[in-house]
Amino acid sequence: MRFETPLIPARLIRRYKRFLADCRLEDGREVTAHCANPGSMMGLAEPGEKIWLEPNDDPKKKLKYGWRLVDHENGHFTGVDTSVPNKALRAALEAREIPVLAAYETVRPEVKYGENSRIDFLLTQPGLPDAYVEVKSVTLSRQPGLAEFPDSVTARGTKHLGELAAMAAQGHRAVMLYLVQRTDCDRFALAADIDPTYAAAFEAARAQGVEKLVYGTQISPMGILVTRQSIVERKLR
Protein backbone atom coordinates (compact mmCIF):
# COMPACT_ATOMS: atom_id res chain seq x y z
CA MET A 1 0.00 0.00 0.00
CA ARG A 2 1.49 3.29 -1.14
CA PHE A 3 0.63 6.52 0.61
CA GLU A 4 -1.70 8.64 -1.49
CA THR A 5 0.35 11.80 -0.92
CA PRO A 6 4.14 12.03 -0.41
CA LEU A 7 4.93 12.19 3.30
CA ILE A 8 6.83 15.08 4.83
CA PRO A 9 9.13 14.93 7.88
CA ALA A 10 8.42 16.74 11.13
CA ARG A 11 9.22 16.69 14.84
CA LEU A 12 6.60 15.80 17.41
CA ILE A 13 5.81 18.53 19.93
CA ARG A 14 3.08 16.65 21.80
CA ARG A 15 0.24 14.18 21.37
CA TYR A 16 -2.97 14.93 23.27
CA LYS A 17 -6.65 13.97 23.42
CA ARG A 18 -5.51 10.70 21.77
CA PHE A 19 -6.25 11.88 18.24
CA LEU A 20 -4.33 15.16 18.04
CA ALA A 21 -0.61 15.85 17.66
CA ASP A 22 1.17 19.18 17.50
CA CYS A 23 4.19 18.99 15.19
CA ARG A 24 6.97 21.21 13.88
CA LEU A 25 7.71 21.06 10.17
CA GLU A 26 11.23 21.42 8.82
CA ASP A 27 10.56 25.04 7.86
CA GLY A 28 9.70 25.83 11.48
CA ARG A 29 5.93 26.01 11.10
CA GLU A 30 3.83 24.37 13.81
CA VAL A 31 0.81 22.35 12.65
CA THR A 32 -1.73 20.04 14.25
CA ALA A 33 -2.05 16.56 12.75
CA HIS A 34 -4.70 13.89 13.12
CA CYS A 35 -3.42 10.84 15.00
CA ALA A 36 -5.42 7.81 13.85
CA ASN A 37 -4.52 5.66 16.84
CA PRO A 38 -6.77 5.14 19.90
CA GLY A 39 -4.13 3.16 21.83
CA SER A 40 -1.60 4.36 24.36
CA MET A 41 1.19 4.53 21.74
CA MET A 42 3.59 3.58 24.52
CA GLY A 43 7.13 4.60 23.57
CA LEU A 44 6.01 6.22 20.32
CA ALA A 45 4.85 9.69 21.32
CA GLU A 46 7.92 11.25 22.89
CA PRO A 47 8.37 14.99 22.26
CA GLY A 48 11.14 15.70 19.78
CA GLU A 49 11.02 12.41 17.91
CA LYS A 50 11.09 12.42 14.14
CA ILE A 51 7.78 11.59 12.51
CA TRP A 52 6.28 11.61 9.02
CA LEU A 53 3.04 13.36 8.13
CA GLU A 54 0.73 12.96 5.15
CA PRO A 55 -0.66 16.32 3.95
CA ASN A 56 -4.08 16.62 2.37
CA ASP A 57 -6.13 19.32 0.67
CA ASP A 58 -9.53 17.76 1.38
CA PRO A 59 -11.91 20.63 2.23
CA LYS A 60 -14.02 18.22 4.33
CA LYS A 61 -11.13 17.59 6.74
CA LYS A 62 -10.45 20.08 9.52
CA LEU A 63 -6.84 18.94 9.92
CA LYS A 64 -4.58 19.16 6.89
CA TYR A 65 -2.05 16.57 8.10
CA GLY A 66 -2.21 12.96 9.23
CA TRP A 67 0.49 11.33 11.37
CA ARG A 68 1.59 8.15 9.62
CA LEU A 69 5.05 7.05 10.80
CA VAL A 70 7.59 7.27 13.59
CA ASP A 71 11.14 7.40 12.26
CA HIS A 72 13.51 5.82 14.77
CA GLU A 73 16.42 7.41 12.88
CA ASN A 74 18.32 4.13 12.78
CA GLY A 75 16.83 2.81 9.55
CA HIS A 76 13.66 1.51 11.22
CA PHE A 77 10.09 2.79 11.18
CA THR A 78 6.84 2.22 13.05
CA GLY A 79 3.46 2.79 11.42
CA VAL A 80 1.10 4.51 13.86
CA ASP A 81 -2.06 4.80 11.74
CA THR A 82 -4.31 1.90 12.78
CA SER A 83 -6.32 2.14 9.55
CA VAL A 84 -3.28 1.29 7.43
CA PRO A 85 -3.07 -2.45 8.28
CA ASN A 86 -6.50 -3.12 6.79
CA LYS A 87 -5.58 -1.32 3.59
CA ALA A 88 -2.26 -3.14 3.30
CA LEU A 89 -3.76 -6.51 4.18
CA ARG A 90 -6.60 -6.13 1.72
CA ALA A 91 -4.07 -5.70 -1.07
CA ALA A 92 -2.16 -8.76 0.14
CA LEU A 93 -5.33 -10.88 0.39
CA GLU A 94 -6.56 -9.87 -3.07
CA ALA A 95 -3.11 -10.66 -4.50
CA ARG A 96 -3.22 -14.01 -2.64
CA GLU A 97 0.01 -13.27 -0.83
CA ILE A 98 -1.10 -14.79 2.49
CA PRO A 99 -0.44 -18.50 1.82
CA VAL A 100 -2.91 -20.03 4.30
CA LEU A 101 -5.70 -17.83 2.89
CA ALA A 102 -4.68 -17.85 -0.78
CA ALA A 103 -7.43 -20.28 -1.82
CA TYR A 104 -10.11 -17.61 -1.33
CA GLU A 105 -11.00 -15.51 -4.37
CA THR A 106 -13.59 -13.21 -2.83
CA VAL A 107 -12.45 -10.64 -0.24
CA ARG A 108 -15.18 -8.54 1.38
CA PRO A 109 -14.24 -5.87 3.95
CA GLU A 110 -16.34 -4.63 6.87
CA VAL A 111 -19.11 -7.27 6.81
CA LYS A 112 -21.62 -7.25 9.66
CA TYR A 113 -21.52 -10.26 11.98
CA GLY A 114 -21.82 -11.18 15.65
CA GLU A 115 -23.40 -8.67 18.01
CA ASN A 116 -23.30 -5.28 16.34
CA SER A 117 -19.81 -5.88 14.97
CA ARG A 118 -18.12 -5.87 11.60
CA ILE A 119 -15.45 -8.35 10.63
CA ASP A 120 -12.45 -6.77 8.96
CA PHE A 121 -12.54 -9.29 6.10
CA LEU A 122 -14.90 -12.08 5.10
CA LEU A 123 -13.30 -14.46 2.61
CA THR A 124 -15.45 -16.80 0.56
CA GLN A 125 -14.82 -19.51 -1.97
CA PRO A 126 -17.15 -22.25 -3.26
CA GLY A 127 -16.35 -25.54 -1.58
CA LEU A 128 -14.55 -23.92 1.37
CA PRO A 129 -15.81 -22.73 4.75
CA ASP A 130 -16.16 -18.98 5.02
CA ALA A 131 -13.14 -17.36 6.65
CA TYR A 132 -13.64 -14.52 9.13
CA VAL A 133 -10.43 -12.49 9.47
CA GLU A 134 -9.90 -9.92 12.22
CA VAL A 135 -6.81 -7.66 11.99
CA LYS A 136 -4.98 -5.92 14.82
CA SER A 137 -2.19 -3.36 14.44
CA VAL A 138 0.85 -4.11 16.61
CA THR A 139 3.14 -1.20 17.49
CA LEU A 140 4.31 -1.83 21.06
CA SER A 141 7.88 -2.94 21.75
CA ARG A 142 9.27 -2.98 25.29
CA GLN A 143 12.15 -5.35 24.60
CA PRO A 144 14.53 -5.16 21.61
CA GLY A 145 13.14 -7.13 18.69
CA LEU A 146 9.90 -8.12 20.48
CA ALA A 147 6.53 -6.74 19.37
CA GLU A 148 3.56 -7.00 21.73
CA PHE A 149 -0.21 -6.55 21.66
CA PRO A 150 -2.14 -4.79 23.11
CA ASP A 151 -0.53 -1.56 24.30
CA SER A 152 -3.52 -0.77 26.54
CA VAL A 153 -6.65 -2.50 27.85
CA THR A 154 -8.91 -3.33 24.91
CA ALA A 155 -12.46 -4.40 25.73
CA ARG A 156 -13.28 -4.13 22.02
CA GLY A 157 -10.48 -6.55 21.17
CA THR A 158 -11.73 -9.00 23.78
CA LYS A 159 -15.22 -8.81 22.30
CA HIS A 160 -13.82 -9.55 18.84
CA LEU A 161 -12.10 -12.69 20.12
CA GLY A 162 -15.38 -13.95 21.56
CA GLU A 163 -17.17 -13.35 18.27
CA LEU A 164 -14.44 -15.11 16.31
CA ALA A 165 -14.74 -18.08 18.68
CA ALA A 166 -18.49 -18.18 17.98
CA MET A 167 -17.83 -18.29 14.23
CA ALA A 168 -15.36 -21.15 14.68
CA ALA A 169 -17.93 -23.05 16.78
CA GLN A 170 -20.38 -22.72 13.88
CA GLY A 171 -17.93 -24.44 11.53
CA HIS A 172 -16.43 -21.38 9.85
CA ARG A 173 -12.76 -20.48 9.72
CA ALA A 174 -11.92 -17.73 12.17
CA VAL A 175 -8.55 -15.99 11.96
CA MET A 176 -6.93 -13.49 14.32
CA LEU A 177 -4.19 -11.76 12.32
CA TYR A 178 -1.68 -9.53 14.08
CA LEU A 179 0.11 -7.17 11.72
CA VAL A 180 3.34 -5.85 13.21
CA GLN A 181 3.82 -2.27 12.06
CA ARG A 182 7.44 -2.13 13.19
CA THR A 183 10.50 -2.93 11.11
CA ASP A 184 12.70 -3.43 14.18
CA CYS A 185 10.88 -6.53 15.52
CA ASP A 186 11.11 -10.16 14.47
CA ARG A 187 9.24 -11.74 17.41
CA PHE A 188 5.73 -11.37 18.81
CA ALA A 189 3.94 -12.01 22.11
CA LEU A 190 0.74 -11.01 23.86
CA ALA A 191 1.18 -8.34 26.54
CA ALA A 192 -0.73 -10.29 29.18
CA ASP A 193 0.50 -7.97 31.94
CA ILE A 194 -1.18 -5.00 30.25
CA ASP A 195 -4.53 -6.72 29.58
CA PRO A 196 -4.88 -10.14 31.27
CA THR A 197 -8.55 -10.30 30.25
CA TYR A 198 -7.61 -10.07 26.59
CA ALA A 199 -4.91 -12.73 27.00
CA ALA A 200 -7.41 -15.10 28.66
CA ALA A 201 -9.95 -14.45 25.89
CA PHE A 202 -7.28 -15.22 23.32
CA GLU A 203 -6.50 -18.61 24.91
CA ALA A 204 -10.23 -19.41 25.06
CA ALA A 205 -10.64 -18.47 21.41
CA ARG A 206 -7.70 -20.66 20.39
CA ALA A 207 -9.31 -23.57 22.27
CA GLN A 208 -12.45 -23.02 20.16
CA GLY A 209 -10.45 -23.27 16.94
CA VAL A 210 -9.59 -19.64 16.17
CA GLU A 211 -6.43 -19.50 14.06
CA LYS A 212 -3.58 -17.12 14.82
CA LEU A 213 -1.40 -15.44 12.19
CA VAL A 214 1.37 -12.91 12.78
CA TYR A 215 2.89 -10.99 9.87
CA GLY A 216 5.49 -8.29 9.64
CA THR A 217 5.67 -5.27 7.35
CA GLN A 218 8.08 -3.35 5.18
CA ILE A 219 7.72 0.33 6.01
CA SER A 220 9.13 3.48 4.43
CA PRO A 221 7.83 7.00 3.75
CA MET A 222 6.70 5.59 0.40
CA GLY A 223 4.29 3.02 1.81
CA ILE A 224 3.64 -0.11 3.87
CA LEU A 225 3.67 -3.67 2.55
CA VAL A 226 2.77 -6.94 4.26
CA THR A 227 5.76 -9.27 4.20
CA ARG A 228 5.37 -12.92 3.28
CA GLN A 229 7.48 -14.07 6.20
CA SER A 230 5.61 -14.67 9.43
CA ILE A 231 6.98 -13.06 12.59
CA VAL A 232 8.27 -15.65 15.05
CA GLU A 233 5.94 -16.04 18.04
CA ARG A 234 7.29 -16.03 21.54
CA LYS A 235 5.58 -16.42 24.89
CA LEU A 236 6.67 -14.08 27.63
CA ARG A 237 7.83 -15.75 30.82
Side-chain angles (χ1 to χ4, degrees), residues 96-167:
R96 297 189 173 187
E97 293 176 348
I98 307 299
V100 297
L101 300 172
Y104 292 89
E105 290 186 2
T106 303
V107 178
R108 296 169 58 201
E110 296 294 321
V111 176
K112 291 183 179 180
Y113 87 121
E115 297 181 11
N116 258 344
S117 292
R118 291 179 181 269
I119 192 68
D120 286 324
F121 297 101
L122 175 59
L123 312 184
T124 57
Q125 180 69 20
L128 295 176
D130 292 348
Y132 290 77
V133 182
E134 183 70 27
V135 185
K136 296 299 181 189
S137 173
V138 181
T139 61
L140 174 63
S141 181
R142 296 180 291 177
Q143 298 180 30
L146 178 65
E148 299 176 81
F149 183 89
D151 68 356
S152 59
V153 173
T154 172
R156 184 168 177 264
T158 298
K159 177 188 177 186
H160 288 159
L161 286 171
E163 291 176 332
L164 282 175
M167 294 298 103

Side-chain angles (χ1 to χ4, degrees), residues 52-131:
W52 289 82
L53 306 178
E54 184 172 21
N56 74 81
D57 56 5
D58 188 340
K60 297 180 181 179
K61 293 183 177 181
K62 292 179 63 176
L63 299 176
K64 298 306 177 184
Y65 298 89
W67 182 5
R68 299 292 179 254
L69 305 178
V70 168
D71 188 333
H72 298 287
E73 301 190 80
N74 58 2
H76 289 291
F77 296 88
T78 295
V80 299
D81 185 340
T82 57
S83 71
V84 166
N86 283 39
K87 298 174 184 176
L89 187 63
R90 181 174 183 175
L93 288 170
E94 291 177 343
R96 297 189 173 187
E97 293 176 348
I98 307 299
V100 297
L101 300 172
Y104 292 89
E105 290 186 2
T106 303
V107 178
R108 296 169 58 201
E110 296 294 321
V111 176
K112 291 183 179 180
Y113 87 121
E115 297 181 11
N116 258 344
S117 292
R118 291 179 181 269
I119 192 68
D120 286 324
F121 297 101
L122 175 59
L123 312 184
T124 57
Q125 180 69 20
L128 295 176
D130 292 348

